[in-house]
Amino acid sequence: MEHREARATSKSSTQPETDDGVGRRKKRAFLDLLLDATESGHELSQADIREEVDTFMFEGHDTTAASIGWAIFLLGNNPEVQARVVDELNDIFGDSDRRATVQDLNNMKYLEMVIKETLRLYPSVPFIGRLVTEDMVIGDHLIPAGVWLNIELFNVHRCEDHFPNPEKFDPDNFLPEKMQNRHPFAYVPFSAGPRNCIGQKFALLEEKTIISSILRKFRVESTEKQEDICLMMDLVLRPESGVKVKLYPRDN
């Protein structure tokens, strides 16, 4: 409400995206776009706008935090993988303690494989629902229109046809040559199609930033194994009692 009132006194708030003077488009805030939609005759109530903002806040924080926690846990259980990530970071940063740039994040190819493998084993959102809009046949089964399907991503990602030894944490599952012939829907931690997560690229950059920052300063050691963890299949996949790790400062 306060933002809506502030817009009413500011002419610039309702202006379209413009050039910032150096050839880049000046982006508008997501909340402004929602308010513009309401002002253009669309039926978005105050509650509708709040729900949209709540969704962005939830998807952008809770799920990403869960994924980062799982990645740190798995790296702490797999020191050989952690060492490969650290080698990659050393190649990128050397002895510098500077902050990561976007180019640095794009160069973290192996860390990206680690994150993708983490999301394969522990997808932040372990299941999604879809409404069948027309009759469809899957194998020998007819799925009639009007039925809600609950798609268990946790189990989809453990299909042995696509991921041999599916319970093993193996970032090499995402080597280009292994991904080339894999069914595009065999791995869908961000869903797929028109209802996929619009923030997946940003989430990956966030995770790279935080995980690389931790590993540049600390060696991670997990005090529990994967088989010791009790999973909570809630809206976000969580360990029942958290993940327990030790952090050791790296020698400079």
Side-chain angles (χ1 to χ4, degrees):
M1 185 63 71
E2 292 177 1
H3 191 71
R4 187 193 295 271
E5 293 173 355
R7 282 163 51 91
T9 61
S10 173
K11 293 182 179 179
S12 62
S13 64
T14 57
Q15 294 298 312
E17 293 181 354
T18 58
D19 192 289
D20 65 359
V22 292
R24 296 175 302 188
R25 295 177 67 191
K26 188 176 181 180
K27 298 297 183 180
R28 309 264 326 280
F30 172 65
L31 183 55
D32 282 324
L33 295 175
L34 289 176
L35 290 171
D36 282 349
T38 300
E39 293 162 1
S40 300
H42 295 268
E43 296 297 328
L44 283 180
S45 67
Q46 194 76 17
D48 292 333
I49 293 174
R50 185 170 62 247
E51 288 177 0
E52 292 292 338
V53 174
D54 287 346
T55 297
F56 266 67
M57 292 295 291
F58 166 76
E59 296 293 346
H61 290 80
D62 214 12
T63 51
T64 303
S67 179
I68 291 170
W70 284 118
I72 293 298
F73 168 72
L74 289 168
L75 287 168
N77 265 305
N78 296 270
E80 70 288 352
V81 174
Q82 185 176 165
R84 287 184 63 180
V85 175
V86 172
D87 287 343
E88 179 178 71
L89 296 177
N90 288 337
D91 289 340
I92 294 172
F93 296 100
D95 296 330
S96 171
D97 62 353
R98 62 179 175 80
R99 294 182 179 181
T101 66
V102 173
Q103 184 59 52
D104 293 331
L105 298 177
N106 290 334
N107 289 335
M108 297 177 189
K109 303 298 185 183
Y110 188 69
L111 178 55
E112 181 170 327
M113 291 164 58
V114 168
I115 294 171
K116 287 181 176 179
E117 177 69 352
T118 298
L119 287 169
R120 181 187 72 81
L121 286 171
Y122 301 108
S124 296
V125 179
F127 58 88
I128 55 176
R130 291 293 183 266
L131 175 65
V132 178
T133 57
E134 59 184 45
D135 291 352
M136 60 185 295
V137 176
I138 300 179
D140 297 327
H141 303 282
L142 171 66
I143 311 298
V147 169
W148 278 96
L149 292 181
N150 186 36
I151 304 170
E152 301 283 348
L153 303 184
F154 185 88
N155 293 321
V156 169
H157 291 174
R158 284 165 167 75
C159 177
E160 292 186 2
D161 292 344
H162 301 288
F163 301 101
N165 197 3
E167 294 295 337
K168 180 183 178 182
F169 175 65
D170 183 9
D172 285 351
N173 279 322
F174 292 91
L175 288 169
E177 58 269 27
K178 291 189 177 182
M179 296 174 57
Q180 186 174 5
N181 297 319
R182 185 177 296 153
H183 193 286
F185 292 163
Y187 173 75
V188 283
F190 296 100
S191 184
R195 290 180 57 84
N196 71 337
C197 175
I198 64 174
Q200 56 184 288
K201 292 183 179 180
F202 180 65
L204 186 59
L205 292 175
E206 281 187 297
E207 294 184 39
K208 284 183 177 182
T209 300
I210 295 174
I211 295 171
S212 65
S213 297
I214 293 173
L215 294 182
R216 289 172 68 188
K217 296 182 180 298
F218 299 98
R219 177 176 63 84
V220 181
E221 180 182 303
S222 297
T223 62
E224 297 175 303
K225 301 296 184 183
Q226 283 180 251
E227 55 269 24
D228 300 328
I229 298 296
C230 181
L231 298 175
M232 293 178 60
M233 290 285 190
D234 208 339
L235 289 178
V236 175
L237 182 63
R238 306 178 187 278
E240 185 177 36
S241 58
V243 293
K244 300 176 178 63
V245 300
K246 295 179 179 179
L247 300 179
Y248 299 90
R250 292 194 180 278
D251 295 329
N252 294 324

